[in-house]
Amino acid sequence: MTVTNQTDLPTRGKYLEFGGQLKTLFPQAQDWVNLNHGSYGTMPLVIREKFRAYQDLAEATPDKFIRYDQGKLIDESREAVAKLVNAPTDTVVFVTNATEAVNTVFRNMKWNEDGKDVILFFSTIYPACAKIADFMVDYFGSHRVGIHEIPLHYPLEDEDIIQLFRDAVAALEKQGKRARICTFDVVSSNPGLVFPWEALCKACKELDVLSMVDGAQGIGMVELDLAAADPDFFTSNCHKWLHVPRGCAILYCPLRNQDMIATPLSTSHGYVPRTAVRRDVLPPNTKPPFVNRFELVATKDRSQDIVTKDAIAWRRDVCGGEARIMAYLWDLNKRGSRHVAARLRTEVLENTKGTLTNCAMANIALPIWLPGGKGKGAGEHEEDMVVPEHEAVQVRLWMMQTMKDEYHTLMPLFWMDDRLWVRTSAQIYLDMKDYEYAAKVLEELAARVANGEYKI
């Protein structure tokens, strides 16, 4: 039977029963196995309908809606999402994505003229965010601001990462430099694992380093308490794990730092010039300057921001709330990834305390190595294969393209420490059957690589 309405689905108590039967509630193709929710997310059909309804309101009376109604609806969503991350409403605004948020912070930074300022980040940083730091150096010059990358080689304990950060700050001080700001993740992208971001916020504060927390993978997947963590700046994509349309993220800035963010990337109506007086063209309001700067930025669709409150309500009223959702995601992530690793006779990337997989993503080793890795003859299985280093990119690209074309799924593959790894994502519309399929796909693809099919 094809289910087209959530009222037809099984429930546990008054809430939906999670698992593969929920795929019909989402707009994805029913023959597609979405094991990579972490990259782009998706929304339920009911949220898509509400999203389009807000777009219809904007088209029905554009002037009324954009000038008078839109801001109030955005405020409602800011309030809803602020409660979710335990932050004051007026410290949270919407931007398009986490990359835009990090750009906004860095492009508002004022670097000291003594040339001692250094931007820190870890080697697992999202590549786009590393390029933001590169742009700072290219624009201002290496005589004004520098970069220091902290290498990470997993598996690592949380305290090891904190110590590496402390060591880096101390090393910079010995060189006469100043660790000015550090970018780090809540859950890193590749490998997809939990980062000790709260402890790093504390360490940043102790060492007088600004913290720029990239929680692109965060809200809706892990518990966030910004009041307790108290970062200097924080961002998270709502469209990844909160069941919101793509193009929606939050930027959090505590009151103490709001004067540092003079403008969004597109300076617009909310900007307050320091050297001139301009007449406002919008109805007056009493919102803080920080909020006003981000309320009407050019003429762009804000429906994905507005519908965030509806997505949060759907997760609460239909799914049973954030704690219930996260409990399912974490459990499925751990059980599913262990199943895939057992089938491949490999391992899940984890530390001794089991903190790296306390989220909805996991990293599973494949039986494919590069020369120089610890593969055959070093404790791994005889059937493991070693591919020439000059074919590493070709192998990864062939496997991912074959996954999408022949198996109707896609799981990101990446090389790390001379071994090929895969990242999987749990979601409420998945269950163990989907992980069994993932294991089958990866096992078959590994065998096809061993047979040299990627060379054809």
Side-chain angles (χ1 to χ4, degrees):
M1 179 180 68
T2 301
V3 180
T4 58
N5 192 302
Q6 65 189 28
T7 58
D8 298 326
L9 292 167
T11 59
R12 176 173 292 182
K14 64 177 182 176
Y15 302 120
L16 284 177
E17 183 75 21
F18 299 147
Q21 67 275 4
L22 295 194
K23 289 177 185 176
T24 55
L25 297 186
F26 291 83
Q28 61 188 278
Q30 295 304 299
D31 65 345
W32 180 263
V33 183
N34 194 12
L35 291 158
N36 186 30
H37 184 99
S39 278
Y40 305 111
T42 189
M43 59 185 145
L45 291 166
V46 65
I47 298 304
R48 189 178 69 177
E49 290 174 6
K50 290 181 178 292
F51 168 64
R52 291 175 175 175
Y54 289 123
Q55 292 178 319
D56 290 343
L57 284 176
E59 296 307 317
T61 55
D63 282 280
K64 174 181 178 296
F65 186 84
I66 294 172
R67 290 175 183 266
Y68 295 94
D69 301 336
Q70 178 175 266
K72 296 175 184 177
L73 292 169
I74 292 173
D75 288 344
E76 291 175 7
S77 275
R78 287 196 306 108
E79 182 178 5
V81 78
K83 288 180 180 177
L84 213 58
V85 299
N86 193 27
T89 300
D90 287 341
T91 62
V92 175
V93 293
F94 285 109
V95 292
T96 304
N97 53 52
T99 304
E100 180 180 317
V102 178
N103 264 283
T104 300
V105 171
F106 273 90
R107 295 195 190 205
N108 277 279
M109 289 284 294
K110 290 181 172 56
W111 307 105
N112 288 299
E113 295 183 3
D114 58 15
K116 296 181 179 181
D117 288 344
V118 176
I119 301 166
L120 282 79
F121 55 78
F122 295 84
S123 58
T124 51
I125 189 173
Y126 187 60
C129 291
K131 289 188 175 183
I132 296 168
D134 293 335
F135 175 76
M136 291 293 101
V137 175
D138 292 344
Y139 185 82
F140 290 98
S142 57
H143 63 281
R144 186 72 174 270
V145 61
I147 292 174
H148 182 85
E149 181 175 329
I150 304 170
L152 298 180
H153 299 284
Y154 283 100
L156 286 166
E157 306 302 325
D158 293 346
E159 53 268 27
D160 294 336
I161 295 173
I162 304 302
Q163 190 58 52
L164 286 169
F165 169 72
R166 292 182 178 277
D167 292 345
V169 174
L172 288 171
E173 288 178 351
K174 286 183 179 180
Q175 298 169 23
K177 298 289 186 178
R178 178 189 304 111
R180 182 75 187 285
I181 186 169
C182 183
T183 302
F184 49 90
D185 301 300
V186 171
V187 177
S188 60
S189 179
N190 278 333
L193 45 78
V194 176
F195 213 71
W197 69 280
E198 293 149 312
L200 265 169
C201 285
K202 181 179 179 182
C204 282
K205 218 170 245 71
E206 291 176 4
L207 298 174
D208 197 25
V209 180
L210 290 171
S211 53
M212 173 66 254
V213 183
D214 177 8
Q217 305 276 4
I219 190 170
M221 175 172 59
V222 296
E223 185 177 355
L224 300 173
D225 187 341
L226 299 188
D230 196 24
D232 287 302
F233 307 100
F234 179 96
T235 183
S236 191
N237 284 331
C238 299
H239 58 247
K240 283 187 181 287
W241 296 96
L242 204 59
H243 297 133
V244 172
R246 278 181 285 280
C248 178
I250 60 167
L251 169 61
Y252 161 84
C253 182
L255 294 175
R256 65 178 181 273
N257 292 332
Q258 290 187 358
D259 285 343
M260 294 177 64
I261 308 300
T263 176
L265 287 186
S266 296
T267 300
S268 194
H269 296 292
Y271 180 67
V272 179
R274 296 180 180 177
T275 56
V277 177
R278 307 289 179 195
R279 292 180 179 176
D280 292 329
V281 299
L282 298 177
N285 64 60
T286 59
K287 298 174 189 178
F290 173 70
V291 174
N292 267 327
R293 289 168 201 147
F294 290 84
E295 182 164 300
L296 185 62
V297 182
T299 307
K300 63 179 181 179
D301 188 2
R302 301 297 297 272
S303 303
Q304 65 273 13
D305 303 333
I306 295 169
V307 82
T308 299
K309 59 184 174 56
D310 301 292
I312 293 171
W314 183 81
R315 289 163 65 88
R316 180 191 65 229
D317 300 337
V318 177
C319 296
E322 300 302 312
R324 183 171 182 260
I325 292 171
M326 289 181 198
Y328 182 83
L329 298 186
W330 289 25
D331 176 67
L332 180 60
N333 178 49
K334 290 175 183 288
R335 289 191 298 115
S337 58
R338 286 197 297 264
H339 172 83
V340 176
R343 178 84 169 262
L344 298 175
R345 301 182 69 190
T346 61
E347 62 184 318
V348 177
L349 184 60
E350 187 55 282
N351 59 21
T352 60
K353 295 183 178 65
T355 60
L356 300 185
T357 55
N358 285 340
C359 61
M361 296 196 299
N363 312 276
I364 305 154
L366 297 182
I368 303 175
W369 300 81
L370 293 177
K374 61 177 185 177
K376 296 181 180 179
E380 298 299 320
H381 301 292
E382 186 63 29
E383 60 268 27
D384 285 5
M385 68 208 76
V386 177
V387 298
E389 188 158 0
H390 69 274
E391 295 178 355
V393 173
Q394 183 181 357
V395 167
R396 185 182 70 84
L397 293 178
W398 177 85
M399 290 181 71
M400 290 185 67
Q401 181 161 329
T402 305
M403 255 192 272
K404 74 175 179 67
D405 290 344
E406 299 184 22
Y407 295 95
H408 294 181
T409 188
L410 193 141
M411 294 166 275
L413 303 175
F414 59 97
W415 290 99
M416 183 175 68
D417 293 337
D418 298 322
R419 193 173 197 178
L420 192 59
W421 294 77
V422 63
R423 190 191 77 188
T424 56
S425 296
Q427 192 42 248
I428 60 172
Y429 53 73
L430 299 175
D431 53 35
M432 283 299 295
K433 290 180 182 178
D434 297 294
Y435 280 87
E436 290 166 4
Y437 182 69
K440 172 182 178 293
V441 170
L442 293 167
E443 187 176 45
E444 290 184 9
L445 285 172
R448 293 171 69 175
V449 169
N451 290 333
E453 284 192 43
Y454 66 93
K455 299 178 183 180
I456 300 174

